[in-house]
């Protein structure tokens, strides 16, 4: 289906709206603080043990963060790693220069407060350009992270092969990806969304796991169930609800710019796949998954 309204714009084309929608709506609704807690807990209890068994503490530990954003997970990883490794280098790749700058400031502050040597190199641009043209893509990394970013990196299978080619022999890739949520359901139902936003929001952790296995990799998974309260999506005048709609569709100001029949189709679908709790709130069940990939 082609988009008929020339006013419709992919959310990634409006970085300011993207940040507003993500941090002030989706982040809160999707309980990202809980996800952060689960991911970092898994890293500290499982990943760190496997890393320290596989890698000598005296060597420089290298990290590649893909779709880094402002890197809250990667910053935590570095805080944990510094207890075992005296030298840590992180390379971050992201489309947002402002987010990369924020991450760099946080790393600089971390370096002042620890004994480990910490270095940070950043690439502002798409992952495809990083892999094709940056000398940093020729390096091998102990740990590669992709935290909810595979949807935006291009063809998934190509991207996975490229990431794996940069992993050291005893290295790991840690991925966080939706297993099943309202966004993946929406993009799988309305395929025109992917075609017009250039995102793979329908990609699931099942796709990642199955492809990794087909390439000969071991995968450890952890399921994280969360309930999204989407009640305000159905309230026309709700600013919070309209921001959620933008993230669910990956279009900026979707309710204002999309043809009314598209809006109606989506709202009806979201009601169909949601549940009503005892308080009258409309909930969408979500499953996120952590995948730890290694040879």
């Amino acid at each position: 289906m082609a988009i008929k309204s020339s006013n419709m714009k992919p959310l990634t084309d409006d970085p300011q709206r993207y940040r507003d929608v993500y941090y002030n709506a989706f982040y809160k609704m999707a309980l990202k603080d809980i996800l952060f807690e689960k991911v970092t807990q898994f890293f500290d209890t499982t990943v760190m043990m496997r890393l320290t068994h596989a890698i000598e503490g005296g060597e420089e530990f290298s990290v590649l963060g893909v779709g880094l954003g402002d890197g809250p997970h990667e910053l935590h990883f570095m805080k944990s790693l510094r207890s075992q490794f005296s030298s840590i280098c992180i390379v971050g790749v992201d489309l947002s220069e402002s987010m990369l700058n924020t991450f760099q400031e946080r790393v600089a502050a971390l370096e002042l407060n620890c004994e480990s040597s910490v270095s940070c190199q950043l690439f502002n641009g798409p992952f495809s350009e990083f892999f094709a043209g940056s000398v940093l893509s020729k390096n091998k990394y102990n740990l590669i992270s992709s935290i909810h970013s595979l949807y935006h990196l291009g063809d998934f299978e190509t991207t996975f092969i490229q990431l794996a080619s940069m992993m050291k022999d005893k290295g790991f890739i840690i991925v966080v990806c939706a297993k099943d949520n309202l966004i993946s359901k929406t993009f799988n139902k309305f395929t025109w969304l992917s075609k017009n936003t250039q995102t793979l929001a329908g990609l699931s952790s099942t796709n990642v796991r199955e492809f990794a296995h087909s390439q000969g990799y071991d995968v450890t998974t952890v399921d994280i169930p969360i309930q999204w309260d989407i009640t305000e999506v159905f309230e026309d005048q709700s600013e919070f609800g309209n921001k959620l709609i933008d993230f669910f569709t990956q279009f900026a100001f979707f309710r204002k710019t999309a043809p009314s029949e598209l809006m109606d189709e989506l709202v009806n679908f979201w009601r169909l796949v949601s549940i009503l709790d005892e308080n009258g709130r409309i909930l969408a069940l979500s499953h996120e998954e952590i995948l730890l990939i290694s040879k």
Side-chain angles (χ1 to χ4, degrees):
M1 178 178 182
I3 294 298
K4 299 177 181 178
S5 173
S6 60
N7 294 324
M8 295 180 68
K9 180 168 67 172
L11 190 56
T12 51
D13 289 353
D14 189 337
Q16 183 176 354
R17 179 65 176 177
Y18 189 101
R19 285 178 66 94
D20 182 22
V21 162
Y22 181 77
Y23 286 110
N24 296 321
F26 182 71
Y27 193 101
K28 298 175 181 178
M29 183 274 310
L31 304 178
K32 288 296 182 182
D33 290 337
I34 293 177
L35 179 65
F36 174 80
E37 179 183 340
K38 296 293 185 182
V39 173
T40 53
Q41 182 182 54
F42 174 73
F43 185 85
D44 291 345
T45 59
T46 300
V47 181
M48 280 296 295
M49 180 180 67
R50 294 182 64 176
L51 285 171
T52 52
H53 284 170
I55 303 167
E56 295 292 333
E59 70 176 83
E60 180 180 72
F61 192 96
S62 55
V63 181
L64 171 64
V66 179
L68 183 73
D70 54 8
H73 296 86
E74 287 78 6
L75 190 69
H76 178 90
F77 300 164
M78 295 180 72
K79 290 178 180 178
S80 297
L81 289 165
R82 69 182 182 179
S83 67
Q84 298 293 328
F85 300 94
S86 59
S87 178
I88 303 168
C89 172
I90 183 164
V91 172
V93 181
D94 199 88
L95 289 170
S96 171
E97 184 178 9
S98 63
M99 286 187 173
L100 288 175
N101 289 338
T102 298
F103 177 73
Q104 189 168 41
E105 291 169 2
R106 290 173 175 171
V107 171
L110 174 67
E111 186 176 2
L112 294 172
N113 294 318
C114 71
E115 296 178 358
S116 298
S117 169
V118 179
S119 62
C120 178
Q121 299 183 74
L122 304 176
F123 183 91
N124 178 212
F127 174 72
S128 58
E129 290 184 9
F130 168 80
F131 188 80
S134 173
V135 295
L136 297 171
S137 70
K138 310 307 177 187
N139 297 341
K140 299 286 186 178
Y141 298 89
N142 299 110
L143 178 68
I144 298 173
S145 66
S146 175
I147 311 298
H148 277 303
S149 63
L150 284 179
Y151 322 109
H152 308 292
L153 302 182
D155 176 73
F156 157 65
E157 294 184 358
T158 300
T159 298
F160 182 91
I161 292 170
Q162 291 171 340
L163 291 175
S165 74
M166 293 185 285
M167 180 174 65
K168 288 187 177 181
D169 288 342
K170 296 182 180 180
F172 296 86
I173 301 174
I174 185 167
V175 171
V176 178
C177 185
K179 182 178 181 181
D180 181 42
N181 64 23
L182 189 67
I183 299 173
S184 61
K185 286 186 175 78
T186 300
F187 272 72
N188 286 327
K189 173 70 172 179
F190 301 98
T191 55
W192 55 267
L193 285 170
S194 292
K195 294 176 182 177
N196 288 280
T197 59
Q198 301 300 307
T199 64
L200 296 174
L203 180 72
S204 75
S205 60
T206 301
N207 303 134
V208 179
R209 183 176 64 254
E210 290 178 350
F211 186 73
H213 281 152
S214 76
Q215 299 298 301
Y217 292 91
D218 295 324
V219 184
T220 301
T221 60
V222 178
D223 180 56
I224 305 173
I226 299 174
Q227 292 185 334
W228 294 357
D229 186 336
I230 63 169
T231 308
E232 291 188 55
V233 163
F234 304 95
E235 300 170 4
D236 292 1
Q237 302 305 314
S238 170
E239 182 180 356
F240 184 82
N242 286 333
K243 289 178 181 179
L244 290 180
I245 290 170
D246 285 7
F247 204 82
F248 293 164
T249 62
Q250 290 294 296
F251 275 102
F253 305 101
F254 186 89
R255 193 189 289 274
K256 292 182 180 179
T257 59
S260 58
E261 62 269 21
L262 296 187
M263 188 70 245
D264 291 342
E265 279 189 79
L266 286 166
V267 168
N268 291 335
F269 176 72
W270 291 334
R271 283 191 184 277
L272 183 67
V273 297
S274 301
I275 63 173
L276 199 65
D277 73 2
E278 64 275 11
N279 298 313
R281 305 296 294 180
I282 302 172
L283 305 178
L285 304 182
S286 170
H287 287 267
E288 313 292 330
E289 199 161 49
I290 309 168
L291 302 95
L292 184 65
I293 301 166
S294 62
K295 274 291 190 185

